[in-house]
Amino acid sequence: MQTQVTMGPLLFHWPAEDKRDFYFRIADEAPVGTVYLGEVICSKREPFFSKYHDQVAERLQKAGKTVVFASFAEVMTPRERKLTQALCEDQAYPVEANDASALYFLRGKQHRVGQYFNVYNEETLSRLAGNGAVHFSLSAELPKDVLSVLSDAAREQDVSLEVQVFGRMGLALSARCYHARACDRVKDNCRYACEADPDGMELKTLDGMPFLSINGIQTLSHTGVNLVQEIPEMMDMGISHFRLSPHTCDMVEVAKIFDDVIHGRKSPQDAVETFSEKDYGFPFSNGFYHKDRGYEWKQVA
Amino acid sequence: MERDDTAVVGELVCPAGTPASLRTAVDAGADAVYCGFQNATNARNFPGLNFTPEEMKEAVAYAHARGAKVLLAANTFPPAGQTDLWKRAVDEATAFGIDAIIVADIGVAQYIHSQHPQQRIHLSVQAGAPSIEAIKYYCEEFGVKRVVLPRILTIPEISDLKRQIPCEIECFVFGNHGLMAEGRCSLTNYATGLSTNMDGVCSPAQDVHYEEDQDKNLTTKLGIYTIDCFSCTQSPGYPTICKGRYLTPRKEEGYYAFEEPISLNLARLLPELIKAGVNAFKIEGRQRSKSYVRDVVSSWRHAIDSVMAGDEVDLENLLALTEGGKQTQGAYATKRWR
């Protein structure tokens, strides 16, 4: 499969019109091959944007992008179960499964497996491939030696791999909404407290060190992963898809930088230089890839 | 050993971090004890904890001689290229006659299902399967016989679930109250470089630091991150990220962003849990001392027996066991927990 930059699902609760305009711009300007739509984090947010799904998907497809719908990372309530079933059974678009209930409905059909379903080893990958999985987006915490073995397995199974190379990393999920909790509310009457934080709500330690970022039931890293320096090594392994996780910074520009590196128009060193010239809203990290603490940033060359 | 699986009611499943704890738990009335090997194959891979193969073999013999079961926790996610360690754990435990293996990873489940088809599989809480379809997926694909539910469902939800899945349910009823969806948390890895999923550690001791100022105020840290601060009159808790205090622009002062340091205690809900169809009650705490295990297991044994006999439960013992007295019924009692 052709090596490409992808736009992962938008994890945050942006106003629906902002979200629509974001995707229109991605369709028109961003050099990405695949765009993942669909609410992954909170089923309560789902109705706001669904009215724009077809419009956005059509515009993206017209621009030559593959459109995939991602399923919820956590499925618990009857409504979440119904929505998951509908998404998987409709098959209007390819589906990326983020939990076992989506896999239940997708068995035997061609599908993708997302970052929130643990695929840590070659045997899990092969087993899921045997059930119809053709593409895997891997967890952000996997180090390069693990990615390398998984790449070999993917080649054997004739499936493709995707690694997140930009944006805050999802570190944890819970049934409890921490945005609601911060506002002394509970999930059922949250009044969409999360809408005020389009890149997540900052959590600092008591002595003032930025640490984490809250997105409803999800806890993200304060730092954003940036694996632009590691792209050539991952391409050598055979990894073909490089995921950007959407933030409010200029994602078209970010996509262009990564696309330039993938196609040899820009060196990784130059790309690091370019990234250092601007504020993207968070400091960068690449610790997980190098089997280090996740927040660490290592200049590779 | 033949066993009528459908008839399991009120099974008390207890933790054992050491062979001595296992014997204590069995003697105190545990129906089943869960434990792990001394490596990354289980989610409590702490120094000084867990079993050598020889100890596991003896533990199974000890428990079986007294009518109790032993369950192996092999519930971490093997990183690619290192799956042999997990396979060896499964092979050895099966050879020892272990009663069930608790798994989370698809690859490990598949290995047991294909290589040891007679071996009973329990789905670990680390697999994070709280819905009908997610549980059915594991039952149908790998022959899972029991699911350990995440601590996120209300009792009516559990009751509803039980009617629609083809396996037994095990619920946590006592001990540490984990906040994050198990098996999907890399907070520790972010702060320390050790992974809960792959290395089996949460808040590893080697990265925990305590800093005391002149006034005897204590700061607890994990790696470079401050998790909480305590005045000289407070007793400091062990620093885990999801029980820490943090600052946010939404609050004027530091607050427990995820949960207060609090323990789960479902003693009062025991009759309802049994009515909801919960087959087994799990006590958390493989890292706990032998005396803790003895007290907790015997109290719960008594409580379960009383409920099953239709008697009133004496809760005093159970309520007194929670450290610092702070306890919660978590998600089980009300949706408002979420």
Side-chain angles (χ1 to χ4, degrees), chain B residues 8 10-15 32-34 69 71 73 100-102 120-125 129 135 145-151 153 158 161-162 165 167-173 266 273 277-284 332:
Chain B
V8 172
E11 183 174 295
L12 179 58
V13 183
C14 303
V33 182
Y34 63 101
K69 301 179 208 171
L71 319 177
I101 302 180
I102 309 168
R120 192 179 153 95
I121 301 177
H122 291 182
L123 188 66
S124 172
V125 70
I135 294 166
K145 295 284 192 287
R146 176 184 295 181
V147 57
V148 184
L149 287 182
R151 288 158 262 210
L153 299 169
I158 293 172
L161 184 66
K162 172 66 186 178
I165 56 170
C167 70
E168 298 170 1
I169 285 182
E170 181 172 310
C171 277
F172 280 96
V173 290
L266 300 191
L273 286 165
V278 174
N279 303 88
F281 302 103
K282 184 168 207 148
I283 292 168
E284 184 275 343
Y332 293 86

Side-chain angles (χ1 to χ4, degrees), chain B residues 12-269:
Chain B
L12 179 58
V13 183
C14 303
T18 63
S21 287
L22 179 134
R23 291 190 296 270
T24 303
V26 169
D27 294 347
D31 295 307
V33 182
Y34 63 101
C35 46
F37 285 117
Q38 283 173 351
N39 56 40
T41 58
N42 80 93
R44 286 284 187 281
N45 181 21
F46 300 155
L49 223 56
N50 297 319
F51 291 59
T52 65
E54 192 53 36
E55 288 169 344
M56 189 67 76
K57 191 176 174 184
E58 287 166 12
V60 172
Y62 185 90
H64 283 183
R66 288 153 186 83
K69 301 179 208 171
V70 181
L71 319 177
L72 178 78
N75 56 347
T76 41
F77 296 85
Q82 298 166 46
T83 57
D84 283 354
L85 187 65
W86 278 256
K87 289 178 185 167
R88 199 162 66 228
V90 164
D91 292 344
E92 284 173 347
T94 302
F96 299 155
I98 207 98
D99 295 277
I101 302 180
I102 309 168
V103 304
D105 179 64
I106 297 269
V108 177
Q110 172 61 23
Y111 179 76
I112 301 171
H113 192 50
S114 63
Q115 299 301 309
H116 304 288
Q118 299 306 311
Q119 180 62 62
R120 192 179 153 95
I121 301 177
H122 291 182
L123 188 66
S124 172
V125 70
Q126 303 288 331
S131 74
I132 296 164
E133 288 78 18
I135 294 166
K136 278 165 78 176
Y137 172 80
Y138 287 99
C139 292
E140 291 173 16
E141 294 287 316
F142 310 103
V144 162
K145 295 284 192 287
R146 176 184 295 181
V147 57
V148 184
L149 287 182
R151 288 158 262 210
I152 60 178
L153 299 169
T154 63
I155 291 179
E157 286 169 342
I158 293 172
S159 173
D160 189 49
L161 184 66
K162 172 66 186 178
R163 284 196 298 272
Q164 299 180 67
I165 56 170
C167 70
E168 298 170 1
I169 285 182
E170 181 172 310
C171 277
F172 280 96
V173 290
F174 193 81
N176 180 39
H177 189 228
L179 256 290
M180 299 307 183
E182 287 90 348
R184 300 167 125 190
C185 176
S186 23
L187 290 168
T188 285
N189 197 5
Y190 186 70
T192 71
L194 286 172
S195 162
T196 305
N197 279 347
M198 294 182 277
D199 301 306
V201 293
C202 171
S203 239
Q206 72 226 53
D207 290 278
V208 168
H209 310 285
Y210 299 89
E211 288 172 8
E212 198 177 76
D213 70 10
Q214 295 157 331
D215 302 322
K216 304 262 179 206
N217 298 315
L218 199 68
T219 297
T220 58
K221 293 184 117 168
L222 185 67
I224 62 168
Y225 297 110
T226 292
I227 304 300
D228 208 347
C229 296
F230 301 87
S231 74
C232 53
T233 56
Q234 294 171 303
S235 66
Y238 188 82
T240 48
I241 295 171
C242 63
K243 304 279 176 66
R245 262 191 307 160
Y246 304 99
L247 303 167
T248 165
R250 304 287 177 87
K251 296 254 185 204
E252 283 177 16
E253 288 181 346
Y255 77 120
Y256 292 103
F258 306 105
E259 177 65 293
E260 289 163 37
I262 201 165
S263 290
L264 182 73
N265 188 347
L266 300 191
R268 289 183 201 284
L269 299 178

Side-chain angles (χ1 to χ4, degrees), chain A residues 73 118 127 171 173 176 197 223, chain B residues 110 181 183-184 186 250 258:
Chain A
N118 288 347
R127 182 64 166 78
L171 298 179
L173 290 163
R176 173 179 271 182
D197 299 301
T223 61
Chain B
Q110 172 61 23
R184 300 167 125 190
S186 23
R250 304 287 177 87
F258 306 105

